[in-house]
Amino acid sequence: MERRKTRQIQLGNVKIGGGAPVAVQSMTNTHTDDSAATLAQINRLAEAGCDIVRCAVPDMTAAEGLKEIVKKSPIPVIADIHFDYKLALAAVDAGVSGLRLNPGNIGGEDKVRAVVEAVKPLNIPIRIGVNAGSLPKDLLEKYGHPTPEALVEAAWRHIRILESMDYRNIKISLKAHDVPLTIAAYRLLASQCDYPLHVGITEAGTINSGIIKSAVGIGTLLAEGIGDTIRVSLTGDPVQEVKTGFAILKALGLREYGPTLISCPTCGRTRINLEKLALTVEKKLDGITEPITVAVMGCVVNGPGEAREADVGIAGGIGEGLLFRKGEILRKVKEEEIVDELFKEIDKILMERKNK
């Protein structure tokens, strides 16, 4: 699919926009003033593949904690700032790679200029983040309720403040928990500017409902070429946000990371406990970071043929199954040995690739 053409910005060592791969972002939910706990979570996020991480900076104690976090983080750190420009300046002093900050909300032109003067020589991007739940009162009165036009107009107010100071190292997000509203807002803004866009459905919910809403909203926009970074907002462990983000990108063919599991929905021909088998395989695959496609099929009639594009797979039978690679049957395996044999073949494939 053709990606929307945007100008490129740099967050630490990660390129954003301008044809660079879509980056996966998350946010810590530890207290930023607890640098040890925050770093532990960032390391877990990085191990899951996270490209960029954002940390809340509600006060100067949190800003102080950023110093240690930035120094030891394996991935670029963005400081999340609201209202107080001094927190932005402290975050810049701490060495962050980016700021999430709305210039219209930090107290006037002189304070915005102070931030711009601090970030400009360091090439630190600013992300403008507009949320449907916190639109200015005059825009709510003008439009009656949050609309795509209201979100975009709010974004342009912040954008123009930075552009008036000759600052265009900008990324923008327009978030709502309402999926159609979010999609429409991003489409509208994408037609009006070439700034990189950070895409997500905010307050999407728990792992169950949140994944569905995020996959629909983020996936639709990415399929239209809109989106340079993404964040899946879920209530709970942020590592799940990263895994879901990569799953969305993999489903659209935009990023390769880790295994892809193919498993059939079962039918009356199935004579093996496929649900249990697929879940067992999925869990064991969780520790692999290399791209590999693994199929778990319910019967030997169509299994190898339907999953011939998989690198390796198994197809269940009665008390046994077939092990296959790229649709070619290797051997029959007893049911109780099928998972072990599958992973022996996976290890073999990965070793072959490493030795090439």
Side-chain angles (χ1 to χ4, degrees):
M1 65 194 68
E2 188 174 349
R3 295 270 306 282
R4 168 178 167 265
K5 291 179 181 176
T6 61
R7 62 183 75 197
Q8 190 168 87
I9 64 174
Q10 187 101 13
L11 273 162
N13 60 355
V14 178
K15 287 181 170 62
I16 306 297
V22 178
V24 176
Q25 182 174 315
S26 186
M27 185 173 184
T28 55
N29 57 18
T30 54
H31 293 152
T32 308
D33 57 3
D34 187 344
S35 57
T38 303
L39 277 166
Q41 191 169 77
I42 289 173
N43 283 324
R44 288 178 57 237
L45 289 166
E47 286 169 7
C50 187
D51 298 303
I52 305 161
V53 67
R54 181 159 52 109
C55 297
V57 187
D59 51 40
M60 277 297 174
T61 310
E64 189 66 26
L66 275 177
K67 293 178 181 178
E68 185 75 5
I69 292 165
V70 169
K71 189 189 301 182
K72 295 183 178 178
S73 173
I75 54 179
V77 175
I78 297 172
D80 189 89
I81 308 293
H82 290 274
F83 310 121
D84 189 346
Y85 84 106
K86 290 180 182 176
L87 295 176
L89 296 178
V92 171
D93 286 341
V96 295
S97 296
L99 296 177
R100 191 280 196 192
L101 175 148
N102 287 348
N105 297 342
I106 61 169
E109 182 180 336
D110 56 334
K111 293 172 182 176
V112 178
R113 192 171 296 281
V115 174
V116 168
E117 288 175 355
V119 298
K120 210 170 192 178
L122 299 172
N123 199 33
I124 295 174
I126 293 174
R127 171 162 72 90
I128 292 167
V130 174
N131 281 0
S134 56
L135 286 171
K137 288 181 181 178
D138 67 308
L139 289 180
L140 288 175
E141 290 172 2
K142 176 180 178 180
Y143 292 98
H145 60 93
T147 65
E149 293 77 12
L151 267 71
V152 170
E153 187 170 335
W156 275 111
R157 288 183 180 181
H158 298 300
I159 294 166
R160 289 191 177 105
I161 291 171
L162 294 179
E163 287 183 339
S164 71
M165 298 178 183
D166 195 29
Y167 193 77
R168 291 173 173 77
N169 197 358
I170 302 169
K171 183 170 66 164
I172 309 161
S173 67
L174 304 168
K175 293 187 180 181
H177 65 80
D178 181 286
V179 175
L181 170 61
T182 304
I183 292 171
Y186 276 107
R187 284 172 175 165
L188 181 59
L189 184 61
S191 71
Q192 297 178 357
C193 74
D194 65 351
Y195 288 116
L197 298 180
H198 173 69
V199 172
I201 305 297
T202 195
E203 300 148 5
T206 62
I207 190 169
N208 296 315
S209 61
I211 285 177
I212 293 169
K213 289 175 71 174
S214 297
V216 172
I218 296 172
T220 297
L221 289 166
L222 290 174
E224 296 177 8
I226 298 171
D228 301 284
T229 63
I230 64 170
R231 189 234 172 148
V232 177
S233 299
L234 300 175
T235 303
D237 187 348
V239 170
Q240 187 60 52
E241 297 184 351
V242 176
K243 291 180 178 179
T244 304
F246 272 105
I248 293 170
L249 292 175
K250 285 199 300 182
L252 291 165
L254 292 172
R255 288 282 295 267
E256 276 196 352
Y257 183 85
T260 297
L261 178 66
I262 299 169
S263 64
C264 69
T266 74
C267 68
R269 288 193 297 269
T270 306
R271 294 293 184 267
I272 196 169
N273 188 339
L274 191 70
E275 181 183 7
K276 180 182 177 182
L277 182 60
L279 288 170
T280 300
V281 171
E282 184 177 53
K283 187 174 181 181
K284 284 179 70 75
L285 286 172
D286 201 40
I288 297 173
T289 57
E290 295 89 342
I292 186 168
T293 302
V294 179
V296 178
M297 309 301 285
C299 75
V300 297
V301 176
N302 294 324
E306 289 181 358
R308 69 172 63 253
E309 297 305 314
D311 294 300
V312 64
I314 48 181
I318 301 175
E320 63 182 15
L322 296 178
L323 182 67
F324 57 89
R325 282 178 68 166
K326 293 291 186 183
E328 297 294 326
I329 296 170
L330 298 177
R331 59 187 178 275
K332 284 185 179 180
V333 181
K334 293 178 183 177
E335 183 174 346
E336 62 269 21
E337 298 173 0
I338 202 164
V339 173
D340 288 340
E341 290 299 312
L342 171 65
F343 277 86
K344 284 179 185 176
E345 204 63 36
I346 289 171
D347 290 341
K348 185 178 176 183
I349 291 168
L350 297 177
M351 186 60 68
E352 288 171 0
R353 289 180 183 176
K354 195 177 290 185
N355 293 334
K356 274 187 178 179

